[in-house]
Amino acid sequence: MSRLWPWKPVDTISSETLIWIPDLAADGILQPFAPLLPARVVAPGAPVATLERRVAGETGLPLDCLVCGGTTDSIAAFVAAGVTEAGQAVTSLGSTLAVKLLSTTRVDDAAYGVYSHRLGDVWLVGGASNSGGAVLRRFFTDQQLQELTPRLDPDRPTGLNYYPLPSPGERFPVADPDLQPRMVPRPDDDAVFLQGLLEGISQIEAAAYSRLAAMGASPLKEQVVTAGGGAVNPKWTAIRQRLLGVPVRAAEQGEACYGAALLARQGARQAARKLGLTASE
């Protein structure tokens, strides 16, 4: 992204307002879309302006409707989880394993696919592994997972030391396009095999947060909030909590639309404070 859309802070004091560098051929790459980019970039949730009359007429929205800075769906889902302090994190356990950590320090590393987004006064640092729920789907159905979960024993590690991957290649926390999946030997007991897979994914999660800290991000502390299908498995949560060394809980809210609504409320409150009103007014 930075090759195509280079940016710089307006000054060394304010870290909230960014501007695009008007270079249409950065690094020799022609950028015909550059004139379409806004001259001013605002933080997510920052109030921008009310609607122009033309836009209000086209959309049917009131003229006093306030437009606020938006964000991506994944970041909106992070906001929905209610994580607010540096060192707190959200792990998404879907088909892949994605980690996002609030950090006072920006961290970017293209080799590992690590990137940072500005969120308020801190940075949202994230990375994703190729491991995750897609591996479990290769071996078990939903019904099998439900039947086997009660037989798992988080307090008795299997020692299988798996690195579960759906196919060769990993991006984070190990950057190796040729890394081979490690899911052998397979025990005769499917419950032990499942626990070994869950332990392997959890070890990757712990290594991911350790890698972010080694890159300069704020160290993991206090808690990890979990989103995605894996958040509902209490035995997996116990395994992860043991390996991460911090409390782990499921997100009460995880929908991107909820996070977007929180950002809109934040913008309304900021605008109201400038006018000396309450948000409800």
Side-chain angles (χ1 to χ4, degrees):
M1 279 292 190
S2 60
R3 282 182 84 226
L4 296 179
W5 299 337
W7 58 270
K8 62 180 180 180
V10 173
D11 53 54
T12 58
I13 298 175
S14 172
S15 61
E16 294 183 0
T17 304
L18 305 178
I19 60 172
W20 300 109
I21 297 176
D23 180 3
L24 302 185
D27 296 336
I29 299 176
L30 185 63
Q31 301 181 46
F33 52 80
L36 301 176
L37 297 175
R40 175 170 168 254
V41 180
V42 301
V48 178
T50 54
L51 295 182
E52 295 179 352
R53 187 171 298 277
R54 175 186 59 81
V55 175
E58 292 176 354
T59 61
L61 295 171
L63 278 170
D64 61 352
C65 178
L66 180 65
V67 177
C68 299
T71 188
T72 66
D73 58 348
S74 63
I75 295 178
F78 182 94
V79 172
V83 174
T84 58
E85 298 182 10
Q88 294 180 340
V90 173
T91 295
S92 178
L93 295 176
S95 58
T96 59
L97 166 69
V99 299
K100 286 185 171 66
L101 171 75
L102 284 182
S103 173
T104 56
T105 305
R106 176 181 175 177
V107 176
D108 294 287
D109 193 322
Y112 288 92
V114 173
Y115 52 89
S116 294
H117 291 274
R118 187 180 301 277
L119 191 61
D121 295 328
V122 293
W123 295 95
L124 179 55
V125 184
S129 167
N130 291 335
S131 186
V135 180
L136 302 179
R137 295 290 185 188
R138 289 184 53 190
F139 300 103
F140 303 107
T141 64
D142 286 343
Q143 182 176 348
Q144 288 173 320
L145 290 173
Q146 292 177 359
E147 293 173 350
L148 291 172
T149 293
R151 297 175 51 200
L152 307 183
D153 189 349
D155 295 324
R156 296 183 61 184
T158 64
L160 290 170
N161 195 31
Y162 289 157
Y163 200 109
L165 291 171
S167 60
E170 176 65 305
R171 47 184 171 164
F172 182 74
V174 177
D176 184 353
D178 300 316
L179 184 68
Q180 297 297 310
R182 188 172 66 246
M183 296 178 286
V184 293
R186 176 169 179 168
D188 294 331
D189 189 336
D190 282 344
V192 177
F193 180 52
L194 172 59
Q195 180 166 328
L197 293 175
L198 297 179
E199 290 171 347
I201 298 172
S202 302
Q203 288 167 349
I204 294 171
E205 178 187 12
Y209 286 116
S210 295
R211 174 70 68 180
L212 291 180
M215 290 177 171
S218 297
L220 185 64
K221 68 174 186 179
E222 293 189 12
Q223 65 175 342
V224 171
V225 179
T226 311
V232 301
N233 189 314
K235 296 296 184 72
W236 194 1
T237 297
I239 292 171
R240 295 172 53 229
Q241 187 163 283
R242 172 171 56 81
L243 292 171
L244 290 170
V246 296
V248 176
R249 67 172 177 85
E252 295 180 6
Q253 299 285 347
E255 295 293 335
C257 58
Y258 187 87
L262 292 179
L263 290 175
R265 183 181 67 178
Q266 172 185 315
R269 287 176 172 173
Q270 289 181 17
R273 282 196 295 270
K274 290 182 179 179
L275 297 173
L277 304 173
T278 63
S280 61
E281 295 175 315

